Amino acid sequence: MLRYDYIINRDESDEVVEYLPKEIPKELSDAVYIEGPNSIGKSTLLNLIALGFYGDQLNKGEINPSLQERINQLKAAKHQKVTFNITVENEALSSTLISEKKDPEIDEVEVFLEDNGIKKNITPTQFFRDYKLIYDIPSDPLNRLKELLREVKIEQHNLSDKISRIYKVVRNIITEIQEGPTAEKIKKVKEDIKSHKKTQKDLEKKIGDKSSKHAELKEFYLLKFYLDYQQKLDIAEGELQTIDKELKKDQRQEKKKTEDIAKIIDIIRERKKEAEQAYDDVTDLLKNLLGKPENDRIKIWEHSSCKEEIENPNASSLRTEAKYFLNQLKYLKDKEEESNQGEVRLIDSLLEVMQMYSGKKITVPGTDFDIGKFTKILEGKKQEHSTDIIKFQNIEQSIDLLEVMIEKLDSAIDLTKDEKVLKLEKKKLTDLINEHSSSNIKEELIEKRDFLKSKFNSFYKDLVKEELDPDYANETISKLTSKKSIKVYDSFLENQLLDELNKLHSGIAELNNKKEDNEKALLFFERDLKRLEEQKPHEYQEKFKELELIQDILQELGQMFAVHFNKRIEKITDLDIDPEKLTEQDKDYADKIAVFLASKIGAFRHINKTYQVKKIDVVDKKIITKGNKRIFFQDLGTGQGQGAYLEGLLNISDNKKIIALFDEVAMMDQKTLDPIFKKLKELYNQKKLLLAVIVQRGDEVKTRSIIG
């Protein structure tokens, strides 16, 4: 009994339409033939049953692509929502299969097997293990006969696996026999043991020799580069100390230059101040003494300054004017001395003498005056020359001031030159100090020193680790280099020596691996000898040659099924195959396939007769009957071809329970359908058919049971 129900809500743009099963009864026979007009739900029912029993998960080649698309659209189309319930009760099998899709928003379909009221969920893997879903439209049936050969492909693969398993069993038995005890084998194992023991001894000697050389060379390597880095470190430390000393020396010199510059600046400032004082003091005297004739030069004088003269002596004219005025004043002084200053100096001389005898009552010789009276007379005379005296004094003072100013300016200018030289020297020192401070020379030396120190410490630690005294490094390395085996490495660089050590280490490791492998092999042979001496001969020892022959046959058979037969079935199912290109083996294989397909079809109707099939030749596209009648595919009616193809689909060799769904069999008349119905009834009675639904277009809805 087939019971079903469904709801399909389909968005048709202008409205959402609900589709329900209305024309076809919801309860049908579990082997049913349905006729009816288009659009009453025949194909929908088949699609729902196929979807309900995992038809969407069939492999390519197991289902017509157009039907696969229908199932997928029903399941996943966004414009419609589907729910359904399908129950199949099969009296012959005494089992009930249920498929449900309860949630319209979820694609998931659940399948259950119900037994005594208990529902057990069935996964797709479990379902396809026990059931065979056949869903087809028998279009182009004769050309699709080749699809029936999929069963042959599967069976060939299964046979290949079985042969492979048997081959492994036979091969294992042969291996066990080969590993069993024989006098020759025992002798061979003993020889292997002897050979491996000798190899072991040789390897141990080589390892000892290489290890001694490695230890000696490592000792030399550590001592050589400990001393090398010690020397390089001392040099680097010395270079750093030299740089520091030079830097400190330059800094001291820079400081001394700074102090000297400061002293010179103070002296220049003092000289400038003294020159400015003399300039200020002499300016008014010059105006009074030289007067109008020198007004133009005095104006130049007044617009000059000591500061400008010191700072820019080549551009200023102060000293030039000073020297000019000095010459003028000296000329004026000489003139004054010729006219008045002789008498004035005599009076001054007499007054000095009178001063010496003042207070004494002495009469001045040649006169009638005593010292006091004569002194007063002299002072009166001097008073008469007071203006000349003051002028003369002003001339002398001006000369002194000008000479002082010129001297101070000359001194300040010379000192300014010295200051510039000192500043230049200081700048060079400062630049040198900055260069040493900012350059990477010291940083690079520090980095180099730190690297050398790190290497030195590393070698020091390695020496201590190897129990070598660093204090006696020179003595120890001298002893080592006296050996020829070490002397050759004396010129090697660090990396080169390290490479030699690594090669020796790798060589020792390789020898140890060989020794370990040899020990394992020796242990294996010793155990194998013990096993052989204790083991009894294999029960199939006497059948060894026969087993080897069987192994060869199985290997050949396995190759035949796994490779050759697969290639041949691909060849003969190629629609464009040229029969002339088939080998004799291909033709022989194709002939056997023709017999197999005949067994799948059995009998078929052609025109008004039923024929028993002897061969179906898919290469030449012809059917050969048991009466040796040849009927080409192109001469068969469409309905008759459909019938033959469907019979082939139903003839399966395994014991899976069948769900058969056939759509659009309208080209098949009743006489062509009868063999199909007969086959379905036969399968039902053999308890191989779970459900069969065949649909065909008709003028009105009719359903009838196929099994009566």
Side-chain angles (χ1 to χ4, degrees), residues 652-667:
I652 62 173
S653 58
D654 54 36
N655 292 318
K656 293 180 182 179
K657 300 169 185 64
I658 297 171
I659 297 175
L661 309 172
F662 297 139
D663 197 0
E664 298 181 16
V665 296
M667 302 300 293

Side-chain angles (χ1 to χ4, degrees), residues 207-242:
I207 290 168
D209 292 345
K210 275 192 181 290
S211 297
S212 297
K213 185 173 181 180
H214 181 271
E216 205 170 54
L217 189 60
K218 185 177 182 182
E219 187 176 332
F220 171 72
Y221 166 74
L222 293 175
L223 289 165
K224 175 179 170 65
F225 292 104
Y226 166 76
L227 292 170
D228 184 57
Y229 281 113
Q230 185 182 56
Q231 183 183 12
K232 288 177 180 176
L233 182 59
D234 290 343
I235 292 169
E237 292 282 8
E239 288 174 346
L240 274 172
Q241 287 174 7
T242 300

Side-chain angles (χ1 to χ4, degrees), residues 604-654:
F604 74 102
R605 283 185 60 77
H606 177 52
I607 307 179
N608 293 320
K609 289 184 180 181
T610 298
Y611 295 94
Q612 296 297 317
V613 182
K614 181 181 178 181
K615 292 180 182 179
I616 298 179
D617 187 344
V618 294
V619 176
D620 288 330
K621 296 181 176 57
K622 64 185 177 183
I623 298 173
I624 301 171
T625 69
K626 287 190 176 179
N628 288 325
K629 186 179 185 69
R630 290 186 305 172
I631 303 170
F632 286 91
F633 289 180
Q634 63 189 25
D635 298 330
L636 280 173
T638 303
Q640 292 166 344
Q642 288 178 341
Y645 173 69
L646 294 181
E647 278 197 74
L649 285 178
L650 293 171
N651 276 308
I652 62 173
S653 58
D654 54 36

Side-chain angles (χ1 to χ4, degrees), residues 258-403:
T258 303
E259 291 170 353
D260 290 346
I261 290 167
K263 287 177 183 177
I264 285 176
I265 289 171
D266 288 342
I267 295 170
I268 291 170
R269 192 179 293 117
E270 184 64 30
R271 297 285 188 274
K272 174 175 167 288
K273 184 178 178 182
E274 290 171 349
E276 285 175 342
Q277 185 63 52
Y279 171 85
D280 291 340
D281 292 344
V282 80
T283 298
D284 288 336
L285 290 172
L286 290 173
K287 288 179 182 178
N288 293 327
L289 291 170
L290 300 176
K292 288 183 179 180
E294 301 295 341
N295 274 349
D296 290 338
R297 297 195 83 114
I298 287 171
K299 283 181 182 178
I300 294 170
W301 171 271
E302 286 180 325
H303 283 91
S304 302
S305 72
C306 294
K307 182 174 181 293
E308 288 178 4
E309 186 72 17
I310 293 168
E311 289 177 356
N312 197 359
N314 294 326
S316 182
S317 60
L318 185 60
R319 283 181 299 162
T320 303
E321 297 303 318
K323 288 174 183 177
Y324 171 79
F325 289 141
L326 187 61
N327 290 329
Q328 291 295 99
L329 289 170
K330 283 180 178 179
Y331 171 76
L332 192 60
K333 178 183 174 184
D334 291 341
K335 191 176 178 182
E336 285 292 324
E337 282 181 340
E338 288 177 4
S339 60
N340 299 315
Q341 291 305 311
E343 186 179 347
V344 171
R345 277 197 298 275
L346 176 62
I347 292 169
D348 284 338
S349 297
L350 290 171
L351 282 171
E352 286 178 9
V353 173
M354 293 301 109
Q355 195 70 28
M356 293 171 60
Y357 296 99
S358 65
K360 292 182 180 182
K361 293 182 179 183
I362 298 172
T363 302
V364 178
T367 69
D368 294 328
F369 306 113
D370 59 15
I371 295 297
K373 181 74 173 174
F374 191 70
T375 298
K376 285 181 181 178
I377 292 168
L378 288 172
E379 286 175 349
K381 277 287 184 181
K382 185 178 180 179
Q383 187 64 36
E384 290 174 6
H385 292 282
S386 62
T387 303
D388 295 330
I389 292 169
I390 291 169
K391 181 181 179 182
F392 188 80
Q393 287 175 344
N394 285 344
I395 290 169
E396 283 190 327
Q397 185 182 358
S398 296
I399 289 169
D400 290 341
L401 287 170
L402 285 170
E403 286 177 342

Side-chain angles (χ1 to χ4, degrees), residues 220 480-492:
F220 171 72
L480 282 170
T481 50
S482 65
K483 298 179 181 180
K484 287 184 179 179
S485 59
I486 296 299
K487 185 69 177 173
V488 293
Y489 296 108
D490 201 27
S491 61
F492 276 45

